[in-house]
Amino acid sequence: MTSMVTTASVSLMSLGSLWDEVSGTQPDPDLWVVVATLVAAAAVVVPRAPWRIARNAVTIAHEGGHGLVALLTGRTLTGIRLHSDTSGLTVSRGKPTGIGMILTAAAGYTAPPLLGLGGAALLGAGRITLLLWLATALLLAVLVMIRNAYGAVSVLVTGSTFVLVSWLAGPQVQAAFAYAVVWFLLLGGVRPAFELQAKRRRGGAGDSDADQLSRLTHVPAGMWLFLFHAVSVCSLLGGGRWLLGL
């Protein structure tokens, strides 16, 4: 009996220590690290070649945003598919019209910059470990809903990177990785709306999120594009201030 009580006490102490580590604060990295991760993220987002690969991570956040809001609004999430051309598809069941469908359709392009803004708030508060664990949990939730092989591999590779950094890397590496990820979401959240705008100008993307929202609300697709731009740019400005400590 005593042994069982002792084992339970040790387990509770271990869980308590783990929670303290996750929920506790960590020291901010030096300013040069913050600036270096900003430059690194920009080097991935701005040039065309690295962006074509890195955009898969933005697509995960985009489709994950659709899926999360679908669940929050009472829709039934059927599955998520990620494709090698960095496009994606989230399927949910429910009323084809109404506020739930509108919010679900609007969540895709706004999800990456808003995730970046939330991440910047956590980093601004010194919650580096908590950010890494929350990101891992979100990726695991997306993985459960993936319905194709390419999507599963993409999420597994991304999630494994977070797990390895969270468990094996030192505090300085974790901080640099966390800041690079958040900068990437903030910067990478801006570009897709401009890409969509360019496609629509050339007569393509007729079934885009903006066009679906236009059909649902009878508001011009250009106004929804403006919303996507406003959310991404404001998130970048606000998140950037938090990350730079301004």
Side-chain angles (χ1 to χ4, degrees), residues 23 84 104 111 147 152 237:
S23 62
S84 58
T104 298
R147 295 295 181 264
L237 294 176

Side-chain angles (χ1 to χ4, degrees), residues 189-203:
V190 173
R191 183 164 179 171
F194 284 99
E195 293 177 336
L196 175 58
Q197 186 174 357
K199 287 181 181 179
R200 296 189 75 257
R201 192 180 298 121
R202 296 191 298 267

Side-chain angles (χ1 to χ4, degrees), residues 89-116:
L89 176 66
T90 299
V91 179
S92 62
R93 293 198 306 268
K95 288 180 59 178
T97 58
I99 188 63
M101 188 63 195
I102 293 171
L103 291 175
T104 298
Y109 280 93
T110 56
L114 289 177
L115 284 172

